[in-house]
Amino acid sequence: MDAWDAWIGRSENRQDHIDPALVRRWLAMLDMEELSDDVVPQGLHWCLCTPETATAGLGPDGHPLRDASPNSFLPPVPLPRRMWASSIVEFLTPLHIGEHLSRRSKIMSIAEKSGGSGSLVFVEVEHLTAGAKGTAIREVQTIVYREAAAPDAPLTPPPLGETAFNPADWTTHHIVSPNEPMLFRYSALTFNSHRIHYDLPYATDVERYRGLVVHGPLTATLMLDLASRQFGNNALSGFAFRGLSPAICGELLHLVMRENDAEIEFGAFADDGRPVMAASATRKI
């Protein structure tokens, strides 16, 4: 029997509602204008039904502690570094301001692997978010746990090189520079206390990042915002993203997009062309 078999199929349920103030803060964080109706932007679901662990129940990295008890939704993987590796999202029904929601999360699979950085454990979680008209969003999220970084490990990602990102192969190109206030606001909106996003000494000295790390779903949210500005609000039926390397706070981030037949392709790149995130989407018919 695998060490984590008891966690496969484990589920938890959370309740929430879409508060108008939350939506206004979301729009402010992204420098977006006021909505013309009550349909909320795609990506805001990552601010809903978030874990509400007491501060005393957080681990050294700011995430909820995991143990072997029946109350621990995620398995007690003995690897300290956690990353949101990827997500596959289906947008089934738009969400509306004031709507009451429920979310059922279930662990689909747990897999141990070895990589260039050592042992890895991948945990795949399905999230079903339901509103007044039934299931509105289905998401399969992959979390990866990694070994601790050596105290003298090189900082990652490496310093920016002398090359420059070339957007010539993309039809839409937008440059942002996620800064400390944006990271703080996104952490607050998602109730995410992972210290790599706000605690610079922890990010550099313990996890050996070159600076504060831009949240993976924040980069994905910026891609969704790019699509919204191009195609209109709630234009996508599906969206999938995969993190490739960390985006660092205060550095330019190139967001690009192009259409290939029925699919939309996205990319996020550092200023020197280093790939940060790849994503794809489908538009509603």
Side-chain angles (χ1 to χ4, degrees):
M1 178 177 177
D2 187 89
W4 317 119
D5 282 354
W7 270 263
I8 297 176
R10 187 170 294 197
S11 64
E12 67 174 5
N13 297 285
R14 299 187 182 277
Q15 309 292 322
D16 209 338
H17 77 285
I18 304 178
D19 186 84
L22 171 67
V23 178
R24 291 195 300 269
R25 292 165 189 152
W26 171 271
L27 298 174
M29 184 264 298
L30 293 173
D31 292 322
M32 293 178 65
E33 297 180 356
E34 184 178 346
L35 298 176
S36 60
D37 54 28
D38 67 348
V39 178
V40 303
Q42 292 178 327
L44 185 132
H45 72 283
W46 288 317
C47 300
L48 302 169
C49 301
T50 58
E52 298 174 347
T53 304
T55 303
L58 299 178
D61 64 351
H63 274 296
L65 287 167
R66 308 181 307 277
D67 58 33
S69 74
N71 296 323
S72 181
F73 174 61
L74 291 168
V77 175
L79 300 174
R81 303 175 71 195
R82 167 176 168 158
M83 295 174 54
W84 187 327
S86 64
S87 271
I88 301 172
V89 185
E90 297 175 67
F91 296 110
L92 305 174
T93 305
L95 298 175
H96 298 262
I97 295 174
E99 192 168 7
H100 289 269
L101 305 171
S102 64
R103 177 172 297 162
R104 182 176 183 270
S105 300
K106 182 172 71 172
I107 294 180
M108 305 292 289
S109 67
I110 303 173
E112 298 184 60
K113 299 181 181 180
S114 294
S117 59
S119 298
L120 303 168
V121 174
F122 293 84
V123 180
E124 192 175 69
V125 184
E126 178 189 60
H127 302 287
L128 298 177
T129 302
K133 296 182 178 181
T135 301
I137 298 172
R138 179 181 185 268
E139 177 174 5
V140 177
Q141 174 194 6
T142 300
I143 302 168
V144 60
Y145 294 96
R146 303 164 57 199
E147 292 181 358
D152 59 348
L155 296 175
T156 186
L160 292 172
E162 296 183 359
T163 58
F165 172 70
N166 184 357
D169 293 334
W170 302 85
T171 56
T172 303
H173 177 213
H174 181 61
I175 302 174
V176 297
S177 180
N179 55 21
E180 289 88 349
M182 178 180 280
L183 267 62
F184 170 83
R185 285 180 158 193
Y186 193 77
S187 288
L189 287 167
T190 56
F191 206 51
N192 180 356
S193 48
H194 196 178
R195 292 169 64 185
I196 62 172
H197 305 305
Y198 64 87
D199 185 339
L200 184 59
Y202 175 86
T204 57
D205 298 343
V206 178
E207 300 226 10
R208 302 302 292 166
Y209 290 110
R210 189 163 50 75
L212 295 177
V213 178
V214 180
H215 315 64
L218 174 54
T219 300
T221 292
L222 293 170
M223 290 177 169
L224 290 171
D225 179 49
L226 189 65
S228 177
R229 295 172 190 267
Q230 182 77 15
F231 305 118
N233 192 20
N234 269 266
L236 304 183
S237 60
F239 179 73
F241 72 85
R242 178 169 58 93
L244 302 174
S245 64
I248 298 299
C249 177
E251 297 182 356
L252 297 181
L253 187 61
H254 296 260
L255 303 170
V256 289
M257 182 175 65
R258 60 190 173 200
E259 290 191 78
N260 296 316
D261 297 325
E263 186 176 79
I264 305 167
E265 184 180 357
F266 299 85
F269 296 86
D271 201 34
D272 62 356
R274 171 177 52 84
V276 168
M277 180 173 286
S280 62
T282 51
R283 293 176 63 180
K284 294 179 179 178
I285 300 175

